[in-house]
Amino acid sequence: MLEDLFDRRHVLAAGAGLAAAGALPGQAPAQTGGTNAAALPPRGDYVIRGAQVLTLEHNLGDFPRGEVRIRNGEIASVGIRVNDSGAEVIDAAGMICMPGFVDTHWHLWTSVLRPVMRLDDPDYGYFPVTNRLGIHYQPSDSYRAVRLGLVQALAAGVTTVHNWAHNVRSPAHADAELAAMRDTGVRGRFSYGTPQGAANDQPMDLADLARLARDWNSAEGLLTLGMCSRNVGDDPNPLRGSVSVEMAKKEWGAVRELGLPITLHTSGPSPIGLLDAAGLLGPDVQLVHPLLTTAEERAILRERGTKYSTSPIGEATRPAAAGVIQLGELLESGVKVSMSIDHTTTANCDCFACMRMLYALHQHRIGRRIPLTTRRLVELATIDGAHDLGLDRRIGSLAPGNRADLILIRTGDVNLSPVGDPYDALVSLAEPGNVDTVMVDGRILRRHGRFTALDHSGVLAHARETVDDLRARANWPT
Ligand SMILES: [Zn+2]
């Protein structure tokens, strides 16, 4: 029942959105992947005025005091002065205007599990909790958890999220996660995975992935589809899920026939040699957690065009390689790297802190031997993430013709003022609370630090309800 998935107000709004999106009459959002677009603010015609504009575009450079014109979701022009005829002016004096952050790996479905997880108790760590409660997820839990994570992302200035969905328990669960992505107005990729508790020799639901690919609803170009693979090769952690090379060949082959990209954790023993010997690496593969690669493996990755995503907050605490995030080595080797949040159960969504962590660990271990600037870190968190997701000609920089995904950051706040070099300020001083305005595809989703349309308190209430239900269903000790 649809009412089980969404509250009544949502259903009514979703119906209106479906009409606008041209969905077939009589089909419900959960079946079509229809969007709640009616509840999202319209794409306007804006001029952002008076901001310090960081375009992250080498040909354009930055503007200490510049303007950005946005029309119908697109960046129309950027400069010291732009044509403002007919546009609504957004006064951004005292703010930094920059591309929104691009996350490249995030297990959004876990977001509601915060009250159950513990950072300092392994029995209540990420893997035991996600395994024990993940099997009890209903589609409505997936919807509410993904929505909670995305609301947090937007509040922190993250405009693109790669939803690493490794608990797709049924087609309805996939549809629910996608509905949550569409309803929040975020840009992103949905990477389809196997459910928690699946046996390692049980194939993933390739038929359902093919269904999604065939009937794909991109929410007006905002969403793309991919596949998240289980670890490949023997993994000593039985809770992570791993498949043989033969199974990987079969699954990856089917995914590639659909033209979809693949993502894979390298949390256990390095699979790079194994994958390369099997002919599986390529530019359509993203690896996650660059902790233990050898120089030889990095050369292979550069050769194959395979990318890496680093999630610094979690990686810094990994017992196997704590603090050895190989950002410097990868950049030196010519391997493309991007930045990710991973999850927000025992870590916050804070791209500023992620950049700070990467800088600190790099300085601690490598220092000036491989120079790393604060501007380079901001690139990592924006344009390099867009490249990882195949979106670098659409987002990640403020270039005319790009889609308008951007954020305004208040530099008058006490932790930033008086502001100096903007890149240094972003990496060493800023925090999510400084994000004033968030625009995705020309829609202003947040203004003055508040959501413009989304029912924020409703999202939080539903998240609490969901985790309480999950605990009850699992007979979780209180
Ligand atoms: Zn992960």
Side-chain angles (χ1 to χ4, degrees):
M1 286 293 288
L2 199 60
E3 282 73 10
D4 294 336
L5 259 181
F6 313 104
D7 62 42
R8 175 149 291 278
R9 191 167 45 79
H10 172 102
V11 171
L12 293 172
L18 275 175
L24 296 173
Q27 282 188 307
Q31 291 164 329
T32 60
T35 178
N36 189 14
L40 294 172
R43 294 179 181 84
D45 185 350
Y46 304 108
V47 166
I48 293 171
R49 173 159 292 161
Q52 180 162 28
V53 181
L54 311 181
T55 69
L56 277 295
E57 190 68 32
H58 284 290
N59 295 336
L60 267 178
D62 299 335
F63 299 90
R65 195 174 164 83
E67 297 186 353
V68 182
R69 173 81 182 254
I70 297 116
R71 196 185 291 127
N72 197 27
E74 186 178 291
I75 296 173
S77 50
V78 182
I80 294 170
R81 191 84 185 164
V82 300
N83 178 2
D84 64 0
S85 166
E88 179 184 332
V89 174
I90 296 172
D91 179 10
M95 299 196 199
I96 291 171
C97 176
M98 61 175 280
F101 290 114
V102 179
D103 158 82
T104 56
H105 138 256
W106 188 337
H107 310 287
L108 290 166
W109 71 269
T110 66
S111 303
V112 293
L113 301 179
R114 286 169 195 161
V116 190
M117 244 179 247
R118 289 289 303 266
L119 185 61
D120 58 358
D121 184 345
D123 290 342
Y124 294 88
Y126 181 84
F127 287 107
V129 169
T130 51
N131 273 263
R132 282 181 62 187
L133 291 181
I135 58 173
H136 296 282
Y137 267 58
Q138 304 285 345
S140 58
D141 302 316
S142 302
Y143 177 86
R144 290 171 172 190
V146 168
R147 193 175 56 165
L148 176 70
L150 292 175
V151 166
Q152 186 181 3
L154 291 168
V158 179
T159 51
T160 298
V161 175
H162 179 194
N163 180 6
W164 223 99
H166 60 331
N167 194 27
V168 180
R169 311 197 65 74
S170 73
H173 287 79
D175 290 340
E177 292 210 18
L178 278 161
M181 295 182 82
R182 294 189 178 102
D183 287 356
T184 46
V186 76
R187 189 182 302 278
R189 177 186 292 174
F190 175 73
S191 278
Y192 194 113
T194 43
Q196 295 293 299
N200 287 344
D201 59 357
Q202 177 190 334
M204 69 176 295
D205 191 347
L206 290 166
D208 193 42
L209 180 59
R211 169 192 69 90
L212 277 183
R214 186 187 63 233
D215 302 335
W216 187 242
N217 176 345
S218 71
E220 299 173 318
L222 280 170
L223 301 183
T224 60
L225 182 62
M227 178 276 239
C228 53
S229 170
R230 287 168 281 187
N231 284 11
V232 177
D234 292 328
D235 190 327
N237 182 351
L239 299 180
R240 260 198 296 247
S242 57
V243 296
S244 64
V245 177
E246 290 68 36
M247 175 78 91
K249 273 184 172 172
K250 191 178 157 203
E251 291 186 341
W252 293 30
V255 170
R256 281 176 163 147
E257 277 184 24
L258 296 170
L260 303 177
I262 296 160
T263 175
L264 169 82
H265 287 110
T266 59
S267 329
S270 174
I272 293 170
L274 202 64
L275 292 169
D276 196 48
L280 287 173
L281 293 177
D284 58 349
V285 177
Q286 176 209 62
L287 304 178
V288 179
H289 301 318
L291 297 170
L292 297 165
T293 64
T294 64
E296 189 187 11
E297 289 174 332
R298 293 191 290 275
I300 292 171
L301 297 180
R302 184 192 56 225
E303 185 69 22
R304 306 291 177 232
T306 300
K307 301 154 286 193
Y308 242 121
S309 174
T310 175
S311 317
I313 304 292
E315 287 164 9
T317 60
R318 291 284 166 109
V324 187
I325 298 171
Q326 296 178 313
L327 174 64
E329 289 91 336
L330 288 165
L331 293 178
E332 191 179 43
S333 305
V335 179
K336 298 281 188 186
V337 189
S338 62
M339 207 175 80
S340 56
I341 296 300
D342 202 350
H343 60 91
T344 52
T345 52
T346 55
N348 192 11
C349 172
D350 185 341
C351 290
F352 308 104
C354 287
M355 294 191 289
R356 203 170 302 144
M357 177 75 78
L358 285 173
Y359 186 77
L361 294 176
H362 180 90
Q363 290 306 104
H364 176 68
R365 204 168 54 78
I366 295 176
R368 291 183 178 276
R369 186 169 64 75
I370 305 174
L372 180 65
T373 64
T374 50
R375 182 192 157 101
R376 186 72 194 83
L377 284 162
V378 177
E379 288 174 354
L380 199 81
T382 54
I383 186 68
D384 291 359
H387 178 273
D388 181 291
L389 299 176
L391 297 171
D392 47 322
R393 291 181 187 277
R394 284 176 71 77
I395 58 155
S397 68
L398 303 185
N402 273 10
R403 302 306 294 174
D405 292 7
L406 56 84
I407 57 178
L408 298 178
I409 295 170
R410 288 185 306 271
T411 61
D413 288 357
V414 69
N415 60 311
L416 288 173
S417 182
V419 71
D421 177 83
Y423 293 102
D424 259 41
L426 291 169
V427 173
S428 56
L429 302 172
E431 61 190 33
N434 304 132
V435 178
D436 179 90
T437 299
V438 178
M439 180 184 286
V440 181
D441 210 49
R443 289 183 170 120
I444 298 177
L445 300 183
R446 280 176 70 84
R447 185 89 178 98
H448 307 307
R450 292 181 168 278
F451 282 99
T452 53
L454 192 134
D455 176 13
H456 185 235
S457 55
V459 170
L460 302 187
H462 279 159
R464 165 56 73 179
E465 200 177 289
T466 277
V467 70
D468 289 346
D469 287 351
L470 282 166
R471 289 170 79 143
R473 270 178 248 151
N475 294 318
W476 191 270
T478 53

